[in-house]
């Protein structure tokens, strides 16, 4: 008797809920803790199927679970030892862990379910997960900020490197400019000074022949300096964006013939310029002044770097899609190692020797051609000559 009283006292005061059901799932007993968990009075539960304390879909499948358990003995079928969800009287849910014992009592089988409330543990777990999520967000934000800082640092470093390279490039260009300018200006100015002194001497004896010869030298020196200054001015205008193409519709063949005639005065020895226009179309739409400057630069180079008995081939051609200008010489050619630098400002090929030049002509030519949406290409072999080709897109206008 005392044992029964003690057992009842233990069950009534147990922290965990305890419910016993028969083999049909009918509740036979429920302790106070289980009543508090589900918010039911004992009389509301005893005699009813245990499924009343379950949410769907477990409520509908409970009898099936119990049947399979009795048939197979597989405890997992009814959730034994697992975390499950219970349903209170008001329809709210709470988590719990279920332990089931099979008890043989008075010749029959009774199932005792031990219910441990997991509400506090789940709340703590949820808070921990929220904290972990917040921590993860903070880590991601800080990682992102760090990544952005690194990117900004890398960007700044790239910009700094770019600036340093530009500064280095500018320094190299300045050095080339000083070297070329000092050489190109010194020679003609020395000629001017010398010729002026000689003219003064020849004037005393009225030596007209020598006076005339040195006047020509002075004129040539002045023209040389003027050409150099014009190239520097052209480069400055290009760098400052002051050069804008001014398109007009003009006769390419006529302009080329005029240039051929004008360049006759600068030919050396027995040099010849042979011009030929190919195709029936004559007119194009481009900036006439820029194109003329491009052609003069190429012909002037061909004259300068070719022998005294050489021929300079000058061809123009127009078709339905573009126009091409070709200037070919049989001069000293361009070393292959210099090809990639040929259009850089102040660059001169290594085989030019004492031939005058400032290394700006082809750079200006390339930029003028680009402003007119054209392309410049060349082929060259040392001591065999050079062929330059200018190509410009065109739409034939009748």
């Amino acid at each position: 008797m005392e044992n029964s009283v003690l057992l009842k006292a233990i069950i009534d005061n147990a922290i965990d809920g305890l419910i016993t059901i028969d083999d049909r799932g009918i509740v036979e007993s429920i302790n106070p803790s289980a009543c508090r968990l589900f918010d039911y009075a004992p009389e509301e539960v005893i005699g009813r199927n245990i499924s009343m304390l379950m949410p769907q879909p477990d409520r509908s499948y409970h009898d099936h679970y119990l049947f399979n358990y009795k048939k197979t003995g597989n405890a997992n079928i009814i959730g034994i030892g697992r975390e499950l969800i219970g349903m209170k009287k008001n329809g709210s849910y709470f988590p719990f862990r279920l332990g089931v014992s099979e008890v043989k009592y008075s010749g029959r089988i009774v199932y005792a379910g031990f219910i441990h409330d997991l509400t506090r543990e789940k709340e703590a777990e949820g808070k921990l997960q929220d904290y972990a999520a917040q921590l993860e967000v903070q880590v991601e934000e800080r990682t992102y900020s760090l990544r952005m800082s690194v990117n900004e640092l890398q960007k700044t470093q790239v910009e700094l490197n770019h600036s340093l390279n530009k500064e280095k490039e500018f320094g190299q260009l300045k050095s080339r400019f000083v070297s070329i300018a000092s050489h190109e200006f010194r020679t003609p100015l020395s000629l001017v000074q010398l010729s002026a002194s000689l003219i003064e001497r020849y004037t005393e004896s009225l030596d007209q022949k020598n006076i005339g010869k040195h006047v020509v030298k002075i004129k040539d020196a002045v023209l040389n300096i003027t050409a150099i200054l014009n190239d520097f001015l052209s480069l400055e205008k290009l760098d400052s964006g002051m050069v804008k193409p001014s398109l007009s519709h003009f006769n390419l063949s006529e302009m080329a013939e005029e240039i051929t005639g004008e360049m006759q005065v600068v030919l050396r020895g027995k040099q010849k310029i042979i011009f030929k226009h190919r195709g029936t179309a004559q007119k194009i739409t481009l900036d006439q002044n820029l194109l003329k400057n491009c052609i003069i630069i190429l012909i002037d180079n061909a004259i300068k770097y070719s022998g005294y008995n050489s021929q300079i081939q000058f061809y123009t051609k127009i078709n339905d899609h573009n126009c091409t200008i070709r200037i070919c010489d049989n001069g000293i050619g361009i070393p292959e190692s210099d090809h990639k630098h040929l259009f850089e400002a102040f660059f001169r090929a290594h085989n030019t020797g004492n031939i005058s030049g400032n290394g700006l002509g082809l750079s200006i030519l390339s930029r003028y051609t680009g402003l007119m949406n054209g392309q410049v290409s060349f082929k060259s072999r040392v001591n065999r000559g050079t062929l330059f080709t200018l190509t410009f897109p065109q739409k034939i206008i009748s």
Side-chain angles (χ1 to χ4, degrees), residues 56-311:
Q56 296 291 1
D58 291 337
R59 172 180 289 198
S60 300
Y61 294 148
H62 177 264
D63 291 343
H64 179 69
Y65 293 153
L66 190 59
F67 173 78
N68 285 338
Y69 169 69
K70 289 189 290 185
K71 182 178 180 181
T72 65
N74 185 358
N76 288 330
I77 291 176
I78 56 175
I80 297 174
R82 294 198 328 209
E83 294 182 5
L84 300 172
I85 299 297
M87 186 174 70
K88 295 178 179 289
K89 183 177 180 180
N90 62 6
S92 62
Y93 300 158
F94 71 96
F96 68 91
R97 181 179 291 108
L98 174 66
V100 176
S101 296
E102 183 180 305
V103 181
K104 294 181 179 179
Y105 173 72
S106 300
R108 63 191 185 95
I109 296 177
V110 176
Y111 300 98
F114 299 90
I115 302 167
H116 178 69
D117 186 11
L118 296 177
T119 300
R120 290 185 178 179
E121 287 91 333
K122 291 299 180 183
E123 288 177 353
E125 184 179 323
K127 289 180 181 179
L128 184 61
Q129 288 176 348
D130 290 343
Y131 177 74
Q134 290 176 1
L135 187 61
E136 185 176 350
V137 170
Q138 291 178 359
V139 170
E140 288 180 357
E141 289 176 349
R142 292 181 183 179
T143 302
Y144 176 78
S145 299
L146 180 61
R147 190 182 300 117
M148 291 301 294
S149 298
V150 171
N151 289 340
E152 287 297 323
L153 182 61
Q154 291 175 340
K155 183 179 178 182
T156 302
Q157 185 175 3
V158 169
E159 291 175 350
L160 180 60
N161 290 338
H162 181 70
S163 298
L164 290 174
N165 289 335
K166 282 293 183 183
E167 186 69 23
K168 182 179 178 182
E169 182 180 343
F170 176 73
Q172 292 173 343
L173 289 177
K174 184 169 68 173
S175 177
R176 289 182 190 174
F177 168 75
V178 172
S179 175
I180 291 170
S182 62
H183 177 268
E184 293 300 322
F185 286 155
R186 186 186 300 116
T187 302
L189 288 174
S190 297
L191 282 172
V192 169
Q193 184 180 27
L194 177 60
S195 294
S197 299
L198 291 172
I199 287 174
E200 184 179 13
R201 183 186 303 174
Y202 294 141
T203 302
E204 296 175 357
S205 61
L206 296 178
D207 188 344
Q208 296 295 332
K209 181 179 179 182
N210 281 318
I211 290 174
K213 183 173 81 172
H214 287 288
V215 167
V216 170
K217 287 184 178 181
I218 289 174
K219 288 180 178 179
D220 288 343
V222 171
L223 286 173
N224 190 15
I225 293 176
T226 302
I228 294 171
L229 292 176
N230 284 336
D231 283 347
F232 289 155
L233 182 60
S234 297
L235 185 64
E236 172 62 23
K237 287 182 177 179
L238 282 166
D239 287 339
S240 60
M242 295 174 62
V243 181
K244 304 292 183 184
S246 177
L247 302 181
S248 63
H249 195 55
F250 61 93
N251 191 305
L252 175 62
S253 178
E254 289 180 0
M255 186 190 77
E257 288 177 352
E258 290 175 4
I259 294 173
T260 302
E262 292 172 2
M263 298 300 290
Q264 297 296 324
V265 296
V266 294
L267 292 174
R268 303 186 306 161
K270 296 182 180 180
Q271 288 179 334
K272 293 181 180 178
I273 300 175
I274 300 175
F275 168 70
K276 185 175 182 180
H277 180 75
R278 296 175 178 174
T280 57
Q282 301 283 327
K283 293 189 174 183
I284 60 172
T285 302
L286 282 176
D287 186 310
Q288 188 170 358
N289 289 329
L290 292 184
L291 181 61
K292 183 175 181 179
N293 286 334
C294 290
I295 295 173
I296 289 175
I297 288 170
L298 291 177
I299 294 179
D300 185 62
N301 281 351
I303 292 171
K304 189 186 302 182
Y305 299 115
S306 298
Y308 284 87
N309 296 313
S310 61
Q311 290 186 347

